Amino acid sequence: MAFELPNLPYDYDALAPYMSRETLEYHHDKHHLAYVTNGNKLADEAGLSALSLEEIVKKSYGTNQPLFNNAGQHYNHLHFWKWLKKGGGGTQLPAKLDAAIKSDLGGYDKFRADFIAAGVGQFGSGWAWLSVKGGKLEISKTPNGENPLVHGASPILGVDVWEHSYYIDYRNARPKYLEAFVDSLINWDYVLELYEAAA
């Protein structure tokens, strides 16, 4: 399955002031495109290009680091763009998700604090995640392009804490970026869709 760069599901200005046009142009048009271009080349060289993206991510983990880096980041970003929306975030989440967050993570406020802390606490580049593992929600963080798929979990929400995701808008203030992500950008409907598929 050839990797393809998707169009953003909104205009480049749609997420301002929380994420600027300039950030999206660099992040989507340049960084994500590079993962697609390199990933296709490396998957082809490894003889894995006929597999699904998820299979390539799992197969290359621990065996082909360059391919894993690009395939993992392509997978992460395919979802990342859909995890964002204008007027998103905050406490207006679907009832089913709210109930799961209450029972598994101690409620919305605790989820918010722990998810932000995971992103702040990821040293260097990486991601913070909300995933389903063993039927329950869990929060985790991973370095670089790694994701919960390779740890037997299904990611339903992720935030990119590579500097290219926030430095134009927030400079070194990663916590402010993470607060804006949770409070103003999360597309809870897409999180619910992935939650229902995983559960």
Side-chain angles (χ1 to χ4, degrees):
M1 185 194 97
F3 300 175
E4 283 178 38
L5 183 71
N7 291 324
L8 288 174
Y10 30 72
D11 185 73
Y12 285 93
D13 293 311
L15 306 179
Y18 309 107
M19 197 175 279
S20 65
R21 165 183 280 271
E22 189 183 1
T23 289
L24 287 172
E25 284 174 346
Y26 272 93
H27 196 170
H28 174 272
D29 300 2
K30 293 182 169 60
H31 289 281
H32 191 175
L33 179 61
Y35 303 134
V36 167
T37 306
N38 296 331
N40 277 325
K41 181 175 169 288
L42 293 162
D44 205 39
E45 286 169 3
L48 299 177
S49 53
L51 299 179
S52 74
L53 177 57
E54 285 86 351
E55 288 173 314
I56 293 171
V57 169
K58 289 176 185 173
K59 263 197 188 320
S60 61
Y61 181 61
T63 63
N64 184 334
Q65 197 63 43
L67 174 56
F68 176 73
N69 291 343
N70 287 280
Q73 282 289 75
H74 178 47
Y75 173 89
N76 295 351
H77 284 83
L78 280 178
H79 292 289
F80 185 61
W81 309 128
K82 295 181 189 174
W83 281 321
L84 301 165
K85 80 168 191 178
K86 182 183 178 68
T91 57
Q92 301 305 305
L93 51 166
K96 191 172 184 178
L97 212 47
D98 192 43
I101 285 172
K102 276 195 182 88
S103 69
D104 298 348
L105 301 174
Y108 177 83
D109 291 343
K110 190 169 184 327
F111 151 75
R112 182 186 182 276
D114 292 349
F115 186 77
I116 289 171
V120 171
Q122 172 52 44
F123 183 75
S125 299
W127 292 74
W129 301 98
L130 176 65
S131 306
V132 178
K133 188 170 187 179
K136 283 203 178 310
L137 292 178
E138 66 171 24
I139 291 169
S140 63
K141 60 184 198 276
T142 58
N144 304 315
E146 201 174 295
N147 60 49
L149 270 186
V150 300
H151 301 293
S154 302
I156 63 168
L157 175 65
V159 62
D160 188 347
V161 295
W162 286 59
E163 287 187 342
H164 60 236
S165 191
Y166 63 88
Y167 222 80
I168 288 167
D169 301 321
Y170 298 90
R171 295 296 182 242
N172 62 331
R174 190 191 282 184
K176 280 196 168 54
Y177 156 70
L178 288 162
E179 287 165 10
F181 176 85
V182 175
D183 295 341
S184 306
L185 291 173
I186 295 173
N187 180 353
W188 286 120
D189 294 330
Y190 187 57
V191 178
L192 177 65
E193 193 182 309
L194 294 176
Y195 175 67
E196 289 179 333

